[in-house]
């Protein structure tokens, strides 16, 4: 699965590439760029040039360094000093020159003719920013919130109007994180997550919850899934007592898995033994099971959403189930809750979020792929395509909570996502990505 790579020689301390084939390679990268996540191509590995032949080829130039450039680059993360950049990761401590990075950034920008050709990350610049203003992790795995007494000049998001499209349960948390960072969140609910309505789906869920003991693992893919399972157990077996339902769930014998901060929904109910993968994603969960040797032959219960039309099920859940099966897992999929397009009168929400002249909004943040689908549905239903086009014209950037969401949003809307959270275990990650974006290039905003 590793893409072919081509070695391109770049000289540190200079502002231009030493070999003309670097230009050809970057044209090829832009030409073949696509929003596909590949762990093998997540970063460009920097290795010292070897042998006298490489040194002699550089002539009088010094400090030659060899870079291996993947054919298909991955997700965008804005460089702090340029529009888009080749991903370079320094292997040794100390200052890493930004001149070569900026030169390739300018070249890519000219070739692409737009922001980021499906995503270039500049690791050296991110490291430079982190060194000057480190963000320490909080207890839930995100990034530390602003200091309690921080002023407007210390808050990159101060006064920024950020549209959030998450359903009510998630918008409350994301909106609170944005408010704490000084932003002005504008809520535009494009989807809703509600309890199951179909009797067939309820029977399927009840049958699985009546046989929890047969499963080795229970893999929750969202906080809503946790809430739905606990609520259903409480209503059908414990007279509405959520604590009693949590006791049954925690003592069923299965290992409970949750993604990132979602585990807090279980620990808040008194369940102490909750496992979380290193990467807060469904694929990260599969990798964790395989690494622990607990995948092959294991029975895993997967409470997932049922997606109602006109929405289409995002690829996250099907790929999760496929990965489990490939790892030797016997996966049991059951609907736990319903994801549907927003059904409330959204006219006033749209008026606030999408002014007809496209002005007044600084970014649009998505926490799931389904939200992008819901947005498309609302724009069509309320005839707001012209307002959306106006926002595109003024260059309002899109933000996504993690690379998997970013890939889904790009595939749905056909627009590049400029802001992607590196840490997506909590909403503080996407807030930190927004802060980095608006602090990196003030002149552009």
């Amino acid at each position: 699965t590793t893409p072919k790579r081509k070695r391109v020689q770049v000289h540190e301390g200079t502002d231009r590439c030493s070999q003309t084939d670097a230009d050809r390679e970057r044209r090829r990268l832009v030409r073949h760029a696509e929003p596909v996540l590949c762990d093998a191509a997540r970063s460009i590995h920097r290795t010292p040039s070897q042998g006298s032949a490489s040194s002699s080829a550089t002539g009088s130039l010094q400090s030659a360094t060899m870079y291996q450039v993947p054919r298909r680059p991955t997700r965008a993360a804005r460089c702090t000093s340029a529009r888009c950049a080749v991903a370079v990761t320094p292997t040794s401590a100390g200052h890493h020159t930004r001149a070569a990075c900026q030169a390739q950034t300018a070249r890519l920008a000219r070739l692409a003719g737009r922001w980021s050709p499906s995503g270039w990350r500049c690791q050296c610049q991110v490291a430079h920013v982190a060194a000057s203003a480190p963000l320490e992790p909080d207890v839930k795995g995100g990034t530390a919130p602003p200091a309690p007494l921080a002023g407007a000049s210390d808050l990159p998001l101060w006064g920024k109007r950020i549209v959030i499209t998450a359903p009510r349960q998630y918008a409350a948390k994301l909106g609170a994180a944005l408010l704490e960072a000084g932003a002005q969140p504008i809520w535009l609910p494009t989807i809703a997550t509600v309890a199951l309505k179909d009797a067939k789906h309820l029977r399927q869920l009840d049958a699985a919850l009546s046989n929890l003991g047969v499963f080795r693992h229970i893999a929750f893919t969202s906080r809503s899934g946790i809430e739905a399972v606990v609520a259903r157990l409480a209503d059908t077996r414990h007279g509405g007592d959520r604590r009693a339902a949590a006791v049954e769930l925690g003592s069923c014998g299965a290992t409970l898995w949750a993604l990132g901060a979602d585990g807090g929904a279980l620990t808040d109910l008194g369940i102490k033994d909750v496992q979380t993968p290193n990467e807060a994603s469904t694929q990260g969960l599969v990798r964790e099971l395989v690494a622990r040797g607990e995948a092959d032959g294991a029975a895993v219960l997967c409470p997932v959403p049922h997606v109602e039309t006109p929405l289409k099920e995002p690829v996250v859940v099907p790929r999760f189930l496929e990965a489990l099966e490939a790892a030797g897992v016997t996966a049991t999929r059951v609907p736990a809750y319903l994801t549907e397009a927003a059904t409330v009168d959204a006219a006033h929400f749209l008026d606030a979020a999408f002014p007809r002249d496209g002005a007044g909004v600084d970014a649009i943040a998505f926490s799931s792929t389904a939200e992008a689908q819901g947005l498309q549905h609302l724009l069509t239903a309320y005839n707001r395509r012209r307002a959306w086009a106006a926002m595109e014209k003024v260059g309002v950037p899109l933000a996504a909570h993690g690379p998997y969401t970013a890939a889904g949003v790009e595939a749905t809307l056909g627009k590049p996502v400029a802001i992607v959270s590196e840490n997506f275990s909590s909403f503080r990650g996407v807030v930190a990505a927004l802060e980095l974006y608006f602090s990196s290039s003030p002149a552009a905003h």
Side-chain angles (χ1 to χ4, degrees), residues 253-406:
T255 302
L256 305 183
W257 289 85
L259 305 181
D262 292 348
L266 293 170
T267 56
D268 290 346
L269 290 170
I271 302 176
K272 297 181 179 180
D273 189 12
V274 179
Q275 302 297 311
T276 57
N278 291 329
E279 180 186 279
S281 70
T282 54
Q283 297 300 315
L285 197 158
V286 175
R287 288 193 290 270
E288 193 75 21
L289 289 176
V290 172
R292 295 187 181 191
E294 300 178 9
D296 193 19
V300 178
L301 177 63
C302 304
V304 298
H306 173 75
V307 181
E308 193 80 2
T309 54
L311 303 180
K312 297 180 181 179
E313 182 178 53
V315 298
V316 174
V317 170
R319 287 180 179 174
F320 174 48
L321 297 173
E322 291 173 3
L324 286 173
E325 296 289 350
V329 168
T330 301
T332 300
R333 170 181 179 156
V334 293
Y337 61 97
L338 182 66
T339 297
E340 59 184 8
T343 56
V344 299
D345 182 3
H348 63 288
F349 288 105
L350 286 164
D351 287 337
F354 296 118
R356 296 187 184 276
D357 60 358
V361 173
D362 296 291
I364 307 172
F366 298 91
S367 66
S368 70
T369 301
E371 294 168 25
Q373 296 183 22
L375 176 60
Q376 278 193 325
H377 174 70
L378 287 180
L379 291 174
T380 301
Y382 288 88
N383 194 25
R384 298 302 175 92
R385 287 289 178 183
R386 182 173 298 179
W388 175 259
M391 296 187 69
E392 290 182 324
K393 186 175 181 179
V394 299
V396 175
L398 305 183
H401 183 47
Y404 300 99
T405 297

Side-chain angles (χ1 to χ4, degrees), residues 51 83 125 165 326 365 403 407:
R83 295 177 63 139
Q125 303 294 351
T165 58

Side-chain angles (χ1 to χ4, degrees), residues 83-100:
R83 295 177 63 139
C84 57
V86 175
V88 290
T89 305
T91 57
S92 59
H95 175 69
H96 176 70
T97 180
R98 290 179 286 173

Side-chain angles (χ1 to χ4, degrees), residues 207-222:
L209 297 182
S210 299
N211 296 280
L212 292 177
V214 304
F215 298 104
R216 185 176 178 183
H217 303 281
I218 301 177
F220 293 104
T221 60
S222 68

Side-chain angles (χ1 to χ4, degrees), residues 62-74:
Q62 299 177 350
S63 302
T65 304
M66 300 298 292
Y67 290 78
Q68 291 180 327
V69 182
R71 180 175 293 275
R72 298 183 185 275
T74 55

